[in-house]
Amino acid sequence: MKMNWGDMSRTARDAAYNNTAHVTNSAELIARREAQSADFRAARPDKLNIAYGPRERNRWDLFPAADPAAPCFVFVHGGYWQRNSKEGFASLVSGACDMGWSAALPGYTLAPDATLTEIVGEVRQALDWLAADGPRHGIAGPVVLSGWSAGGHLTAMCLDHPLVTAGLAISGVYELGPVRDTYLDEKLRLGDDEVETLSPQRLPVVNKPLLLTYGTAELEALVANSRGFHEVRSRAHAPGALLPVPDANHFTILERLCGADGLLTRQLPLLLA
C-alpha cells in the first residue's frame, strides 16, 4: 500500500524509518554482529585504523588477500549517517575474504559533527587514498563498493569514483526528501541543496553495474527507496538488478554476506563479470 506521506503524523513518519523499533530483536542481532566483528578484527590485526585523512574517524581497516591483484570488497557501514562505526561491521567482509578477495572498511565522521555533504566527501577521500596507497598495502585489484542503510546511500553517491568498478547497495536510502520530515534530521539538518544534490535518485545515472537489494520484511519506506532507485536506473538502461531477499529484515539481510556461500556474497563475482 502506498504511503500518503503528507497526511501522516510526525510520529508515523518517524516510525516509517525506525528500523530498530520495527525489528523486535534488533539489539540481539546487532550485539551478535559486533561480537563476530571484534573476533574477525582480532584475528587480522596487521592493517587496522590506517589514516586516510585528518579527522578521528578517517581510518581504514584493510584485509589484503594473498594476491594483490585480487578484487577488493569495500564495505561502508550504516547507521543513518549518525551512528555506528566500521569496527562493528568487519564480519560482513568475511565472505569476500573466504573467496580470496581483499576487503576494506572505511570510517567516516558522523552527524552532527559532519554534514552529509562532508560525509560523502570523506568517503570519496577514502577512495582517493585507496587508489593511491592501496597497492603498497597489497590491494590493487578492481573494487566493488558496498554499504548498508546509510552505507547504501554512500555507495550510490560514490559509484562514479574512478576506483570503483561496480556496487552493491543494501537497504539504502536514495531519496532524502522524506528523511527531512523525521527524527533523523535532528542531527543531519539537511538543507534544500543537500536534498537535491545528495539524493541519488535525483542525480544523473552512473552507468556502472549496481546491484540494489532489500529484505522483503523491511519497512515500506526502505523497500520503496530500493524499488524507486532501481526504476530510475532501469529507465536509463543502467546495468544492475533489483534483488529482494525473502523474509529478511533490515538487520538479518546482512547475514547474507557472511561466508562465501552467502546469497549476497555470491553476487560479488557477477558484478565483475
Side-chain angles (χ1 to χ4, degrees):
M1 187 175 74
K2 186 174 178 59
M3 301 172 69
N4 295 315
W5 195 256
D7 296 333
M8 293 166 60
S9 67
R10 170 62 187 268
T11 299
R13 293 196 301 268
D14 285 350
Y17 282 86
N18 193 331
N19 293 295
T20 53
H22 179 67
V23 180
T24 55
N25 66 333
S26 59
E28 175 188 344
L29 295 169
I30 292 167
R32 183 169 65 197
R33 186 194 70 235
E34 290 179 343
Q36 292 168 342
S37 294
D39 291 344
F40 185 89
R41 295 177 84 249
R44 299 163 179 81
D46 294 344
K47 294 183 180 292
L48 303 180
N49 294 316
I50 299 174
Y52 70 80
R55 304 187 76 171
E56 180 181 357
R57 285 173 170 258
N58 294 166
R59 301 289 185 271
W60 276 105
D61 285 350
L62 304 178
F63 306 103
D67 179 6
C72 181
F73 180 53
V74 173
F75 188 85
V76 185
H77 77 79
Y80 280 140
W81 311 276
Q82 56 197 271
R83 294 192 299 272
N84 298 328
S85 67
K86 61 180 173 55
E87 288 81 1
F89 291 80
S91 63
L92 302 182
V93 304
S94 62
C97 292
D98 288 346
M99 293 193 304
W101 287 37
S102 294
L105 296 96
Y108 55 88
T109 307
L110 304 179
D113 294 329
T115 65
L116 188 52
T117 298
E118 290 172 330
I119 291 170
V120 172
E122 287 188 358
V123 176
R124 297 188 72 87
Q125 181 183 3
L127 293 170
D128 288 343
W129 182 95
L130 190 63
D133 291 343
R136 70 184 178 90
H137 291 281
I139 296 177
V143 166
V144 174
L145 180 63
S146 181
W148 165 78
S149 198
H153 165 268
L154 295 169
T155 294
M157 287 301 303
C158 297
L159 186 65
D160 66 336
H161 192 281
L163 180 66
V164 176
T165 300
L168 167 61
I170 305 166
S171 305
V173 178
Y174 311 110
E175 170 53 59
L176 297 176
V179 170
R180 194 162 51 172
D181 298 328
T182 72
Y183 71 102
L184 298 173
D185 200 49
E186 293 170 8
K187 291 184 177 180
L188 288 172
R189 299 189 288 246
L190 294 169
D192 290 344
D193 56 337
E194 288 188 311
V195 170
E196 187 65 32
T197 61
L198 300 180
S199 291
Q201 194 165 312
R202 303 189 189 195
L203 299 178
V205 170
V206 178
N207 194 31
K208 293 181 183 179
L210 176 64
L211 175 62
L212 293 161
T213 184
Y214 65 90
T216 62
E218 296 208 52
L219 286 165
E220 184 180 348
L222 273 296
V223 172
N225 263 267
S226 291
R227 288 177 173 171
F229 188 35
H230 182 260
E231 182 180 345
V232 168
R233 287 181 53 82
S234 295
R235 287 199 300 266
H237 307 291
L242 180 67
L243 178 61
V245 178
D247 302 321
N249 62 45
H250 196 64
F251 299 96
T252 58
I253 191 171
L254 293 174
E255 296 169 359
R256 275 63 170 188
L257 277 175
C258 297
D261 61 345
L263 173 62
L264 297 184
T265 309
R266 297 199 309 269
Q267 310 307 310
L268 297 178
L270 302 179
L271 289 167
L272 298 178

